[in-house]
Amino acid sequence: MRFDHENTKRKYPLAIVILAAGMGTRMKSNLPKVMHPLAGKPMINWLIDTAEGLNPEKILVVVGPDMPELEATIAPHQPVIQQVRNGTGGALQCAMPFLDGFKGNVLVLLGDTPLLSQDTLQHLIDVRNVDAMTGVSVLGATMENPTGYGRLIEKSDGTLRHIVEEKDASDKERAVKKVNTGAFCIDALRLPKWLGKIDNNNAQGEFYITDLPYIAAEDGFYTRIAMAHNTAETQGCNTRSDLAALEGELQKKLRKNIMDQGVQMLDPSTVYVHYDTVVEPGTLIEPNVFLGPDVTIKAGCHIKAFCHFEGVVIHENVTIGPFARLRPGTVLEENVRIGNFVEVKKSKIGARSKVNHLGYVGDCDMGEDVNFSAGAITVNYDGFEKHQTVIGNNVIVGSNSNLIAPISIDDGAFIAAGSTITEDVPTDALSISRDSGKIREGWAAEYRRRKAAIAKKITNKKK
Ligand code: UD1
Ligand code: CA
């Protein structure tokens, strides 16, 4: 059956109920299923963010009695406690007191189906609004492998006869590839009556929300199927493998958004981003880069292969890597250069400064045009507390030097290679602390001769 949505779009008040009380036993996890993160944000929050975009009157989330962290993450929306997990129908029943007197549409979503888009949900609502006799709309999808999903059994006119759960299905019904994605839009006025008729005579002994279409039909109402155009977003999450599949889908979408902004990725599938990652146009990202939470990369940067960033702000035209690790609290100003095997933590590095090879910069405020040479490190931890290193502008920190914090190196100072510096260094001074070394003429030749003689003796003995 086809509908012309533009002609049929009627606006009714909307309430959204998200079912999320299940234990998620198939995940084999201590965390409630819907709390598992996708791109660093709990699954349930992806769905709530989308739900908010539909401007509903209210969003209710059905949770278990023992899920305080879930209640916290859905705030300020209303948690509804389902004391006994007796099925999706039972879960929706728990929300009914909060919908007393509500007229309009009730959109029911499953907390473990987090990638649904706003357009898809709007389509589901529009299909329910087609006519007054359509009491329910169900979001359907065609799945090549429908295992685990309820199957949509249609009437000859294309409306829905009923939904059969996999465990209750005959072989013929199991062969059906049109599935229930779990999202329903229901006439709020009739919902309490229909819900009251659900029983638990089925393979799992649970109250199934999927009985609603059948019950509505008995009352003389249609259930229409709204087909999802993008099957990938309708995938549910029951197992760790499902979670990984959802993560893959989401990463594809997030990376595309970033690339659409004018960012180049040489091998996108190897770049992992977070929900809050910001990358500005003209930046190039090489393969195998991990962008953790709270990362901003401004325009024109070059992120070379195998980098790992969390909690950083990288200003324009910075080059980093390969193999660099930037930890939380790091700010790199314009044109900074961070090379291979460098770690930076909780530090600001001023414009045009270079930390090119094998260094550690922690708890440091570094000025502009500094050269922090190979193998130099800030020694920021005394075993009990962290201490600050302050480096001025135009400083040269020689290779393999140790700056024992707290310490301050003023503008233009020069730290000689191999020095361990414990005292503040004034402007334009040299600080050097190393053995001047000894030369012993001919020592190496003599050493080699003695070693060769010993080796010869041992071989002769063996003979
Ligand atoms: C459900 C549907 C199935 C559909 C599939 C789509 C039913 C009976 N089956 O099956 O037709 O194809 O989703 O992914 O609805 N929940 C509660 N309280 C409960 C039980 C479940 O809040 O007592 C919540 C869970 O937290 C979860 C959601 O409902 O977020 C779905 O429950 P789940 O057990 O995963 O249902 P499926 O077997 O996947
Ligand atoms: Ca599920």
Side-chain angles (χ1 to χ4, degrees):
M1 198 170 282
R2 297 185 56 132
F3 314 107
D4 180 352
H5 286 177
E6 289 313 313
N7 293 334
T8 54
K9 233 178 240 173
R10 270 172 272 167
K11 279 278 170 202
Y12 297 107
L14 178 68
I16 299 182
V17 183
I18 301 178
L19 310 185
M23 298 289 274
T25 31
R26 287 167 281 183
M27 296 288 283
K28 299 192 172 66
S29 171
N30 294 328
L31 204 61
K33 174 164 68 180
V34 298
M35 287 296 290
H36 285 78
L38 290 167
K41 178 157 84 176
M43 197 188 293
I44 188 80
N45 292 99
W46 287 100
L47 195 56
I48 287 179
D49 290 354
T50 308
E52 283 172 348
L54 293 165
N55 295 316
E57 313 261 302
K58 58 170 96 183
I59 296 177
L60 304 166
V61 184
V62 183
V63 304
D66 42 15
M67 299 175 167
E69 64 281 65
L70 177 52
E71 285 187 41
T73 202
I74 64 156
H77 301 295
Q78 173 81 50
V80 176
I81 312 273
Q82 185 188 17
Q83 292 295 346
V84 182
R85 280 122 165 151
N86 54 2
T88 45
L92 183 55
Q93 185 77 63
C94 294
M96 293 319 289
F98 297 87
L99 293 172
D100 196 23
F102 178 78
K103 289 195 187 72
N105 282 318
V106 177
L107 180 66
V108 183
L109 306 174
L110 304 183
D112 67 352
T113 308
L115 301 187
L116 294 171
S117 67
Q118 209 175 300
D119 284 352
T120 299
L121 294 179
Q122 190 59 54
H123 174 53
L124 175 65
I125 295 166
D126 292 345
V127 169
R128 146 72 186 110
N129 291 347
V130 155
D131 60 49
M133 293 316 285
T134 299
V136 183
S137 61
V138 171
L139 185 66
T142 304
M143 299 234 179
E144 256 332 288
N145 176 11
T147 311
Y149 289 89
R151 309 296 204 278
L152 301 181
I153 310 300
E154 291 167 90
K155 291 192 211 165
S156 52
D157 65 0
T159 61
L160 186 65
R161 182 183 304 282
H162 67 276
I163 301 175
V164 59
E165 287 303 292
E166 166 119 349
K167 285 184 179 153
D168 301 296
S170 65
D171 286 349
K172 195 175 159 211
E173 287 168 332
R174 272 197 196 132
V176 172
K177 291 188 169 174
K178 243 185 207 182
V179 305
N180 167 34
T181 67
F184 289 71
C185 184
I186 310 162
D187 180 354
L189 200 63
R190 300 194 165 75
L191 180 58
K193 177 178 161 198
W194 294 341
L195 258 183
K197 290 189 177 169
I198 296 181
D199 63 32
N200 61 352
N201 293 329
N202 52 55
Q204 301 193 89
E206 287 189 355
F207 294 86
Y208 291 167
I209 193 181
T210 47
D211 284 354
L212 283 180
Y214 180 75
I215 292 167
E218 282 193 328
D219 209 13
F221 285 84
Y222 291 115
T223 294
R224 295 192 191 272
I225 302 172
M227 286 305 283
H229 302 302
N230 174 3
T231 306
E233 69 177 50
T234 68
Q235 309 270 353
C237 178
N238 295 324
T239 64
R240 300 274 182 172
S241 299
D242 294 340
L243 184 67
L246 291 182
E247 182 74 66
E249 276 308 317
L250 186 57
Q251 286 292 323
K252 259 192 245 166
K253 191 171 146 192
L254 295 177
R255 283 189 302 251
K256 183 174 184 306
N257 290 345
I258 291 173
M259 288 189 282
D260 287 350
Q261 300 294 313
V263 172
Q264 190 62 51
M265 297 184 184
L266 292 187
D267 185 1
S269 67
T270 66
V271 176
Y272 184 89
V273 301
H274 262 61
Y275 70 96
D276 59 353
T277 300
V278 177
V279 189
E280 290 187 355
T283 282
L284 169 66
I285 302 180
E286 292 186 2
N288 295 301
V289 170
F290 178 92
L291 303 180
D294 200 15
V295 169
T296 298
I297 305 174
K298 304 239 165 138
C301 292
H302 183 176
I303 313 301
K304 297 189 176 177
F306 298 101
C307 284
H308 189 284
F309 304 161
E310 294 167 285
V312 300
V313 178
I314 299 167
H315 288 273
E316 286 80 0
N317 304 317
V318 168
T319 302
I320 307 178
F323 297 99
R325 179 171 184 208
L326 303 182
R327 292 169 54 201
T330 295
V331 177
L332 308 181
E333 302 288 4
E334 294 81 14
N335 296 293
V336 159
R337 173 78 176 87
I338 302 289
N340 42 254
F341 305 107
V342 170
E343 173 177 340
V344 183
K345 185 214 83 168
K346 216 175 177 182
S347 297
K348 192 211 89 187
I349 298 190
R352 298 172 302 281
S353 288
K354 292 178 187 156
V355 186
N356 267 339
H357 339 259
L358 302 149
Y360 174 60
V361 179
D363 301 294
C364 178
D365 185 347
M366 189 186 293
E368 299 177 353
D369 301 294
V370 169
N371 192 55
F372 199 87
S373 312
I377 61 166
T378 56
V379 182
N380 61 330
Y381 187 48
D382 61 12
F384 297 90
E385 285 166 290
K386 303 283 167 61
H387 300 283
Q388 197 71 17
T389 298
V390 179
I391 301 176
N393 299 330
N394 296 300
V395 167
I396 292 185
V397 178
S399 291
N400 248 29
S401 35
N402 305 309
L403 307 180
I404 314 272
I407 194 161
S408 166
I409 321 273
D410 286 355
D411 290 353
F414 196 113
I415 308 296
S419 296
T420 293
I421 306 297
T422 55
E423 273 173 39
D424 290 355
V425 183
T427 305
D428 290 332
L430 166 73
S431 181
I432 177 163
S433 78
R434 64 179 186 226
D435 198 311
S436 54
K438 297 178 186 72
I439 304 279
R440 293 190 199 163
E441 294 285 350
W443 183 95
E446 172 59 16
Y447 176 73
R448 259 181 246 116
R449 195 193 57 75
R450 267 190 290 127
K451 286 289 184 196
I454 294 167
K456 200 171 172 190
K457 247 186 209 169
I458 294 170
T459 342
N460 286 343
K461 249 187 202 167
K462 276 188 186 157
K463 279 181 187 165

